[in-house]
Amino acid sequence: MPIPLNSDTLTLLLFRFMPPPSLSFLRVAIIQNVLLLLIASPTLIAATHPTPLTLTDGILAFTALGLLAWEFTADNQQFAFHAWKQGMYDPRAHWPGARLAWTKDDAVRGFCTRGLWSWSWHPNIFADVIVEQRVTRI
């Protein structure tokens, strides 16, 4: 029987040719293990074939630390904002980078627009994506 070409074609194809759950589980388990092996391979190679560190290694390490600090700061600013919005904000309980002067307009708006959040819609995800891109390109 031919498959009709309409808006439900993709859904029909996906559900008609779905493998049994046991095969899906095995496929996911195998893919995850292969990805973990690929991620860990550079560490294994570096550990078994040591070479002296270069200027590039130092630059990449400091860049990664800076982006990690950026992501940490953004996450904590967002956490402090939501604590303030819910009335559970105590400035002494948050580290100095997350102690921002929130206003009633911020609560009405419903999302953080101060600190790193004034520069980007999701600065924490921005830093995370940049770190992941740098790691995968090395």
Side-chain angles (χ1 to χ4, degrees):
M1 176 174 116
I3 299 173
L5 293 176
N6 58 30
S7 62
D8 296 328
T9 301
L10 181 59
T11 305
L12 179 65
L13 285 172
L14 287 176
F15 285 107
R16 179 181 277 187
F17 302 109
M18 288 288 275
S22 59
L23 289 179
S24 292
F25 173 75
L26 286 175
R27 186 176 60 210
V28 169
I30 290 169
I31 290 171
Q32 285 178 341
N33 284 309
V34 168
L35 287 174
L36 288 173
L37 177 67
L38 291 174
I39 291 169
S41 295
T43 305
L44 176 64
I45 293 168
T48 57
H49 300 87
T51 58
L53 296 176
T54 63
L55 177 63
T56 305
D57 296 323
I59 291 170
L60 289 172
F62 281 114
T63 302
L65 287 174
L67 287 168
L68 184 64
W70 177 290
E71 185 176 359
F72 174 82
T73 303
D75 285 338
N76 280 279
Q77 287 175 352
Q78 185 179 35
F79 178 79
F81 171 72
H82 286 292
W84 175 82
K85 193 169 67 169
Q86 295 171 0
M88 301 183 303
Y89 180 70
D90 179 14
R92 295 169 295 171
H94 297 280
W95 74 286
R99 295 178 192 161
L100 301 173
W102 312 110
T103 65
K104 295 290 182 196
D105 290 337
D106 295 327
V108 170
R109 189 178 304 107
F111 53 89
C112 187
T113 58
R114 297 188 182 274
L116 293 175
W117 294 85
S118 65
W119 298 350
S120 172
W121 186 256
H122 282 290
N124 53 348
I125 295 174
F126 168 76
D128 190 39
V129 166
I130 298 298
V131 167
E132 289 174 8
Q133 285 182 349
R134 296 300 111 201
V135 167
T136 57
R137 291 181 189 212
I138 293 176

